[in-house]
Structures are given as C-alpha cells and as structure tokens.
Amino acid sequence: MTASQVLNYLQKKYGECKHDPYALSEAINQTQQDMDYKDEWDLFHLLVENKPILSLHTHSYGFHTRNGRGIIERIKSYYHEYEGAE
C-alpha cells in the first residue's frame, strides 16, 4: 500500500484526506508485516471504516474484540511514529 493509494481512496470516498497518507500507509504496512497478514487493505478498512476481518476475529456482536482493539492500537501507534516523517 502506498501513500498515493491511501490519498486517492480517501479523496474519492470521502472527498478529502485529513490525515498523513504516508504515515497511514507505513503504519498499515508495518502492522501487516508484524502480523504476517496477507491483505493490507483489510487492515485499512478495519481502521477507517470499522469493517470486520472475520479471519482475525476483530468484532463480536458489532463491537471490537480484544484482538480488534489491539490491531487498531498498533496501527495508531505506528501512525504517530511515522507522522510528519515524509
């Protein structure tokens, strides 16, 4: 996932991008590598649109599970680490 892909998606879907697309893409890519998970876009949609990832059991009855919260917190932590680094 690249910063331009993130920027294009957010602008197309929401009309603007309020966050640092470079930091967001790097945070998701790093989380994907840490977890050895195949699809970075699943992680992106979990964070941005709260879409469940069934294989990772991120939601139960519409709420985040401990695993779901952990994944989101990991992405957010990396995001703040990369923010403004471009």
Side-chain angles (χ1 to χ4, degrees), residues 1-8 10 17-27 79 86:
M1 167 179 298
T2 65
S4 63
Q5 288 174 314
V6 169
L7 181 63
N8 290 338
L10 292 174
C17 179
K18 294 182 178 184
H19 299 287
D20 182 343
Y22 170 78
L24 187 54
S25 66
E26 289 298 316
Y79 175 84
E86 183 182 22

Side-chain angles (χ1 to χ4, degrees), residues 1-2 24-34 40 43:
M1 167 179 298
T2 65
L24 187 54
S25 66
E26 289 298 316
I28 290 171
N29 289 333
Q30 186 62 51
T31 303
Q32 176 199 15
Q33 289 175 359
D34 290 351
E40 68 273 6
L43 299 175

Side-chain angles (χ1 to χ4, degrees), residues 10-71:
L10 292 174
Q11 286 179 335
K12 183 176 179 181
K13 179 93 175 183
Y14 300 104
E16 63 183 333
C17 179
K18 294 182 178 184
H19 299 287
D20 182 343
Y22 170 78
L24 187 54
S25 66
E26 289 298 316
I28 290 171
N29 289 333
Q30 186 62 51
T31 303
Q32 176 199 15
Q33 289 175 359
D34 290 351
M35 296 174 57
D36 195 29
Y37 186 69
K38 65 185 181 325
D39 190 359
E40 68 273 6
W41 284 101
D42 283 351
L43 299 175
F44 175 83
H45 291 296
L46 170 66
L47 180 70
V48 174
E49 298 172 345
N50 195 29
K51 288 188 179 176
I53 304 172
L54 298 178
S55 63
L56 295 178
H57 309 289
T58 58
H59 289 72
S60 178
Y61 297 101
F63 295 97
H64 292 134
T65 60
R66 182 184 332 182
N67 191 46
R69 288 188 304 273
I71 293 168

